Coordinates of all heavy atoms in Angstrom, one line a residue:
N290 N 10.8 71.8 -132.7 CA 10.6 70.7 -131.8 C 9.3 70.8 -131.1 O 9.0 71.7 -130.4 CB 11.7 70.6 -130.7 CG 13.1 70.6 -131.3 OD1 13.6 69.5 -131.6 ND2 13.8 71.7 -131.5
T291 N 8.4 69.8 -131.3 CA 7.1 69.8 -130.7 C 7.0 69.0 -129.4 O 6.0 69.0 -128.7 CB 6.0 69.3 -131.7 OG1 6.3 68.0 -132.1 CG2 6.0 70.3 -132.9
T292 N 8.0 68.2 -129.1 CA 8.1 67.5 -127.8 C 9.5 67.8 -127.3 O 10.3 66.9 -127.2 CB 7.8 66.0 -127.9 OG1 8.7 65.4 -128.8 CG2 6.4 65.7 -128.4
P293 N 9.8 69.0 -126.9 CA 11.1 69.3 -126.4 C 11.5 68.7 -125.1 O 10.7 68.3 -124.3 CB 11.1 70.9 -126.3 CG 9.6 71.2 -126.0 CD 8.9 70.2 -126.8
G294 N 12.8 68.5 -124.9 CA 13.3 67.9 -123.7 C 12.9 68.6 -122.5 O 12.7 69.8 -122.5
M295 N 12.6 67.8 -121.4 CA 12.0 68.4 -120.2 C 12.7 67.9 -118.9 O 12.1 67.8 -117.9 CB 10.5 68.1 -120.1 CG 9.7 68.9 -121.2 SD 9.6 70.6 -120.9 CE 8.5 70.7 -119.5
T296 N 14.0 67.7 -119.0 CA 14.8 67.4 -117.8 C 15.0 68.7 -117.1 O 14.7 69.8 -117.6 CB 16.2 66.8 -118.1 OG1 17.0 67.8 -118.7 CG2 16.0 65.6 -119.0
A297 N 15.5 68.7 -115.9 CA 15.7 69.9 -115.1 C 16.6 70.9 -115.7 O 16.5 72.1 -115.5 CB 16.2 69.5 -113.7
T298 N 17.5 70.4 -116.6 CA 18.5 71.2 -117.2 C 18.2 71.5 -118.7 O 19.0 72.2 -119.4 CB 19.9 70.6 -117.1 OG1 19.9 69.3 -117.7 CG2 20.4 70.5 -115.6
S299 N 17.1 71.0 -119.2 CA 16.7 71.2 -120.6 C 16.4 72.7 -120.8 O 16.2 73.5 -119.9 CB 15.5 70.4 -120.9 OG 15.8 69.0 -120.9
F300 N 16.3 73.1 -122.1 CA 16.1 74.5 -122.5 C 14.8 75.1 -121.9 O 14.8 76.2 -121.4 CB 16.1 74.6 -124.0 CG 17.5 74.5 -124.6 CD1 17.7 73.5 -125.6 CD2 18.5 75.3 -124.3 CE1 18.9 73.4 -126.2 CE2 19.8 75.2 -124.9 CZ 20.0 74.2 -125.8
I301 N 13.7 74.3 -122.1 CA 12.4 74.9 -121.6 C 12.4 75.2 -120.2 O 12.0 76.3 -119.8 CB 11.3 74.0 -122.1 CG1 11.1 73.9 -123.6 CG2 9.9 74.4 -121.4 CD1 10.8 75.2 -124.3
P302 N 12.8 74.3 -119.3 CA 12.8 74.6 -117.8 C 13.7 75.8 -117.6 O 13.4 76.7 -116.7 CB 13.3 73.4 -117.2 CG 12.8 72.3 -118.1 CD 13.0 72.8 -119.4
Q303 N 14.9 75.9 -118.3 CA 15.8 77.0 -118.1 C 15.0 78.3 -118.5 O 15.1 79.3 -117.7 CB 17.0 76.9 -119.0 CG 18.0 75.9 -118.6 CD 19.2 75.9 -119.6 OE1 19.7 76.9 -119.9 NE2 19.6 74.7 -120.0
Q304 N 14.3 78.3 -119.6 CA 13.7 79.5 -120.1 C 12.5 79.9 -119.2 O 12.2 81.1 -118.9 CB 13.2 79.3 -121.5 CG 14.4 79.2 -122.5 CD 13.9 78.9 -123.9 OE1 12.8 78.8 -124.2 NE2 14.9 78.6 -124.8
V305 N 11.8 78.9 -118.6 CA 10.7 79.2 -117.7 C 11.3 79.9 -116.4 O 10.7 80.9 -116.0 CB 10.0 77.8 -117.3 CG1 9.0 78.1 -116.1 CG2 9.2 77.3 -118.5
R306 N 12.4 79.4 -115.9 CA 13.0 80.0 -114.7 C 13.4 81.4 -115.1 O 13.2 82.4 -114.3 CB 14.2 79.2 -114.3 CG 13.8 77.9 -113.6 CD 15.0 77.3 -112.9 NE 16.0 76.9 -113.8 CZ 16.1 75.7 -114.4 NH1 15.2 74.8 -114.2 NH2 17.1 75.4 -115.2
A307 N 14.0 81.6 -116.2 CA 14.5 83.0 -116.6 C 13.3 83.9 -116.8 O 13.5 85.2 -116.6 CB 15.3 82.9 -117.9
A308 N 12.2 83.4 -117.1 CA 11.0 84.3 -117.3 C 10.3 84.6 -116.0 O 9.3 85.3 -115.9 CB 10.0 83.6 -118.2
G309 N 10.9 84.0 -114.9 CA 10.3 84.2 -113.6 C 9.0 83.4 -113.4 O 8.2 83.8 -112.5
M310 N 8.8 82.4 -114.1 CA 7.6 81.6 -114.1 C 7.9 80.3 -113.3 O 9.0 79.9 -113.1 CB 7.1 81.3 -115.5 CG 6.7 82.5 -116.3 SD 6.3 82.1 -118.0 CE 4.7 81.3 -117.7
D311 N 6.8 79.6 -112.9 CA 6.9 78.3 -112.2 C 6.6 77.2 -113.2 O 5.5 77.2 -113.8 CB 5.9 78.3 -111.1 CG 6.0 77.1 -110.2 OD1 6.6 76.1 -110.6 OD2 5.5 77.1 -109.0

Side-chain angles (χ1 to χ4, degrees):
N290 300 276
T291 58
T292 57
M295 290 292 284
T296 69
T298 58
S299 294
F300 288 122
I301 293 298
Q303 288 182 46
Q304 293 175 6
V305 169
R306 289 192 295 271
M310 301 175 68
D311 185 342

